[in-house]
Amino acid sequence: MTAVDSPTTRPQAAGGVTVQKPAAQRPSRRRRHDALVPWLLTLPTLLVLALLLGRPLYRMIVLSFQNMRLRELLTGVAPPWVGFEQYQKALTDSTFWGVVGRTAAFTVVSVTVSVLAGLAVALLMRRVHRRVRLAMMIAMMFVWALPQLVAAQAFVWLTDSDFGVLNYLIDKIPGVDYANHSWFVNPWQGWTLITVLVVWAGIPFLAISLSAGLTQVPKELLEAATVDGATAWQALGNITLPILKPLLTIVTTLSVIWNFGLFTQVWVFRSGHPEPYFQTLATYSYTQAFGQSRYSYGSAIAVITVLLMLGVMVFYIRQMFKIGEVD
């Protein structure tokens, strides 16, 4: 008669003595190993970022606790330490909070429109002929490769009050007079143009990424839903979007990070002198530091901006690790 060994015991070769060994020991080691793999893979990137950005970030943080003025900059005298005075000045300034609210509102609107437009283009790309899809991808790659400065300057020419093509075309509409119309006299019109430029530049990345994600949606599920009488909107909401959710989270978070740091488009549209109602956190920090020689105050605003974006980056990294664990 033979005895069946339990999962937690294993007989030794000598003497028939059995030794207890926890069954969960090996899976526990594997889990620890799997938890370390993402950090090991990201370590080279973190080291490169630390080498490139470590000293500038350190100098910016130190400067935010000082009172650097033009006199100290020209004479080389060490600026006096003022502690948290610059941060207190920023956090109690209504103008600063107005800039924060404006930046946040722009980010929410631009990211929402960009993601929805990118998803719509991605869905369209899955339905058109292969050659048309290839042409769309090539065109979007050209848009994506275009530097922000060049794209912003092109939009400036298109919307110029005297020679802009946009004013010329709108002026051709019967009953509409848009000759010599300035789009930036009205803040709403100005922000609409800036948002259109940012959305136009962001659609290629979103559309191409989401189009690649749509290839992971099983056609059998969509066909079965159609046979069961589901509409296109029901199939999108119950099948496509749940499968795309991890990818949508990643591209949306990246769009928030990029749009929250808006600088080039505003700076080019306003020729380097943005009005108060066109200031974002990035332009406001730069204007305070180099436009008004309040270097420490501008550094404090930049540090606050980095901290706000850091929260979004932490969320993004956590989502990346979660997706890696699921895979």
Side-chain angles (χ1 to χ4, degrees):
M1 184 173 180
T2 59
V4 179
D5 295 331
S6 67
T8 60
T9 62
R10 185 178 61 182
Q12 297 292 328
V17 179
T18 59
V19 178
Q20 297 270 339
K21 186 174 183 179
Q25 183 175 356
R26 189 171 298 174
S28 177
R29 290 179 179 177
R30 184 176 180 180
R31 283 195 297 268
R32 288 197 297 268
H33 176 267
D34 293 342
L36 288 176
V37 168
W39 294 103
L40 292 176
L41 293 177
T42 57
L43 185 59
T45 303
L46 295 176
L47 290 176
V48 172
L49 290 176
L51 292 174
L52 293 177
L53 303 177
R55 180 171 176 78
L57 283 174
Y58 169 76
R59 288 295 305 153
M60 183 177 67
I61 294 173
V62 171
L63 191 61
S64 67
F65 290 100
Q66 298 174 334
N67 187 19
M68 170 73 79
R69 293 162 294 184
L70 187 60
R71 182 179 62 184
E72 285 80 11
L73 181 65
L74 296 177
T75 60
V77 177
W81 284 83
V82 294
F84 290 93
E85 180 179 326
Q86 305 296 344
Y87 293 96
Q88 183 180 1
K89 186 186 302 183
L91 296 176
T92 57
D93 185 8
S94 60
T95 302
F96 168 77
W97 286 111
V99 173
V100 173
R102 191 179 305 113
T103 305
F106 164 79
T107 302
V108 171
V109 172
S110 61
V111 170
T112 302
V113 176
S114 298
V115 172
L116 291 178
L119 179 60
V121 174
L123 292 172
L124 177 63
M125 290 173 63
R126 304 309 305 171
R127 291 181 173 271
V128 297
H129 191 270
R130 181 179 178 182
R131 294 181 179 179
V132 178
R133 180 164 63 250
L134 180 61
M136 292 175 65
M137 292 186 65
I138 293 175
M140 287 189 293
M141 289 298 293
F142 275 112
V143 174
W144 194 10
L146 199 65
Q148 290 184 357
L149 183 63
V150 177
Q153 192 60 56
F155 267 69
V156 170
W157 292 337
L158 289 173
T159 59
D160 184 78
S161 58
D162 297 321
F163 309 104
V165 176
L166 183 60
N167 285 355
Y168 173 79
L169 293 176
I170 296 178
D171 193 59
K172 293 297 182 180
I173 300 176
V176 178
D177 182 14
Y178 258 61
N180 305 115
H181 175 75
S182 177
W183 288 86
F184 287 89
V185 172
N186 187 329
W188 289 100
Q189 292 185 1
W191 275 112
T192 300
L193 280 184
I194 296 172
T195 304
V196 169
L197 172 57
V198 172
V199 170
W200 174 79
I203 284 178
F205 166 76
L206 294 167
I208 294 174
S209 300
L210 295 175
S211 177
L214 286 172
T215 60
Q216 304 303 312
V217 180
K219 293 182 179 180
E220 295 79 7
L221 290 179
L222 297 176
E223 292 174 356
T226 303
V227 171
D228 291 340
T231 64
W233 288 107
Q234 290 174 335
L236 176 65
N238 297 321
I239 298 176
T240 304
L241 291 183
I243 295 177
L244 282 181
K245 183 180 178 180
L247 182 59
L248 277 170
T249 302
I250 292 176
V251 297
T252 301
T253 308
L254 285 174
S255 298
V256 170
I257 295 174
W258 293 335
N259 293 5
F260 194 80
L262 176 72
F263 180 88
T264 305
Q265 293 85 344
V266 174
W267 199 259
V268 173
F269 263 125
R270 304 315 302 139
S271 302
H273 298 89
E275 294 83 353
Y277 42 82
F278 286 117
Q279 292 279 9
T280 64
L281 276 172
T283 61
Y284 187 63
S285 173
Y286 186 89
T287 302
Q288 292 297 313
F290 300 101
Q292 301 185 19
S293 300
R294 303 168 68 183
Y295 305 105
S296 294
Y297 186 60
S299 298
I301 296 173
V303 171
I304 295 174
T305 305
V306 171
L307 292 176
L308 292 174
M309 296 180 66
L310 189 61
V312 182
M313 291 174 62
V314 169
F315 175 79
Y316 169 73
I317 294 173
R318 289 187 61 185
Q319 293 301 314
M320 290 290 292
F321 284 165
K322 287 182 179 179
I323 293 173
E325 291 173 358
V326 172
D327 294 340

